[in-house]
Amino acid sequence: MAKMSSPTETERCIESLIAVFRRYAGKDRNSSTLSKTEFLTFMNTELAAFTKNQKDPSVLDRMMKRLDTNSDGQLDFQEFLNLIGGLAVACHESFSRAQKYT
Amino acid sequence: MAKMSSPTETERCIESLIAVFRRYAGKDRNSSTLSKTEFLTFMNTELAAFTKNQKDPSVLDRMMKRLDTNSDGQLDFQEFLNLIGGLAVACHESFSRAQKYT
């Protein structure tokens, strides 16, 4: 059997994104998408550091609507990745700005 | 000082994506983008399991061209995330198909 080398950081990250999506999408009968309830559970569990600072309770409603590009009331894996990408870009820009002043 | 809780899997993943991009983008003077050389180093190091199966050497050239949506010869962080997202979607679909037949 071929020897499996340990995954790289990028491979681990891709695996994690798939595993996290499946964990939350699998909570109801349709396990290929995140329903509104599953999206809220994901946000309040995995991204609580972000959601707990949101004083306006409609922020998550608006995020879900914006992410749901095909407006079917569910987030598929591509729509979920757009959320992660958007957050990563925001973090990256905020780190880059902070570095300019140090 | 506020107690820092350990990051969630999603937070770790966002941090990893930023760290990996910076590690490879930082190899030349322009540390905010991946040059063609940096992209090739990234692909052959982090995604070697993918690149070593490509018999056609022009695959990476074509990938770089397709990812470089603003055609400046460099990949910025958003363009890099599109690559990761594309690979994640392909892996996710291949897992989903495999599960249907098991």
Side-chain angles (χ1 to χ4, degrees):
Chain A
M1 239 173 82
K3 189 175 164 241
M4 296 280 284
S5 52
S6 64
T8 64
E9 189 169 1
T10 305
E11 288 167 345
R12 269 204 307 273
C13 197
I14 291 174
E15 285 169 3
S16 271
L17 289 172
I18 297 173
V20 166
F21 178 77
R22 296 183 154 225
R23 189 178 316 144
Y24 290 89
K27 291 184 189 291
D28 63 17
R29 278 183 306 172
N30 183 348
S31 65
S32 62
T33 53
L34 288 176
S35 64
K36 178 75 176 281
T37 309
E38 288 170 332
F39 167 71
L40 295 177
T41 308
F42 165 76
M43 291 299 292
N44 291 321
T45 313
E46 289 284 324
L47 298 169
F50 170 81
T51 53
K52 75 179 178 198
N53 289 322
Q54 302 300 324
K55 291 196 177 72
D56 178 356
S58 69
V59 164
L60 290 181
D61 289 353
R62 280 182 280 128
M63 279 182 78
M64 172 89 188
K65 278 215 182 85
R66 207 173 48 227
L67 290 165
D68 180 18
T69 45
N70 66 351
S71 304
D72 65 351
Q74 303 272 329
L75 299 185
D76 62 24
F77 187 55
Q78 179 62 65
E79 292 167 339
F80 168 78
L81 288 177
N82 294 342
L83 162 67
I84 304 297
L87 291 170
V89 166
C91 287
H92 177 66
E93 284 170 357
S94 125
F95 288 169
S96 304
R97 268 198 304 275
Q99 275 186 334
K100 275 194 192 152
Y101 299 105
T102 51
Chain B
M1 240 173 86
K3 190 175 164 243
M4 295 281 282
S5 52
S6 65
T8 64
E9 189 169 1
T10 305
E11 288 167 344
R12 268 204 306 273
C13 196
I14 292 174
E15 284 169 2
S16 273
L17 289 171
I18 297 173
V20 167
F21 177 77
R22 296 181 156 228
R23 190 179 315 142
Y24 290 89
K27 292 185 190 289
D28 64 15
R29 277 183 307 169
N30 183 348
S31 65
S32 62
T33 54
L34 289 176
S35 65
K36 179 76 176 285
T37 310
E38 288 169 334
F39 168 71
L40 295 176
T41 309
F42 165 76
M43 290 301 291
N44 290 320
T45 314
E46 290 284 324
L47 298 169
F50 169 80
T51 54
K52 73 179 179 199
N53 289 322
Q54 303 299 325
K55 291 195 179 70
D56 178 356
S58 68
V59 163
L60 290 181
D61 290 352
R62 280 184 278 128
M63 278 183 80
M64 172 90 189
K65 279 215 184 84
R66 208 174 46 229
L67 289 166
D68 181 18
T69 44
N70 67 352
S71 303
D72 65 351
Q74 303 273 330
L75 298 184
D76 62 24
F77 187 56
Q78 179 63 63
E79 291 166 341
F80 167 79
L81 288 177
N82 295 342
L83 161 67
I84 304 297
L87 291 169
V89 166
C91 288
H92 176 66
E93 284 170 358
S94 128
F95 289 168
S96 304
R97 268 198 305 275
Q99 274 186 336
K100 272 193 193 152
Y101 299 104
T102 52

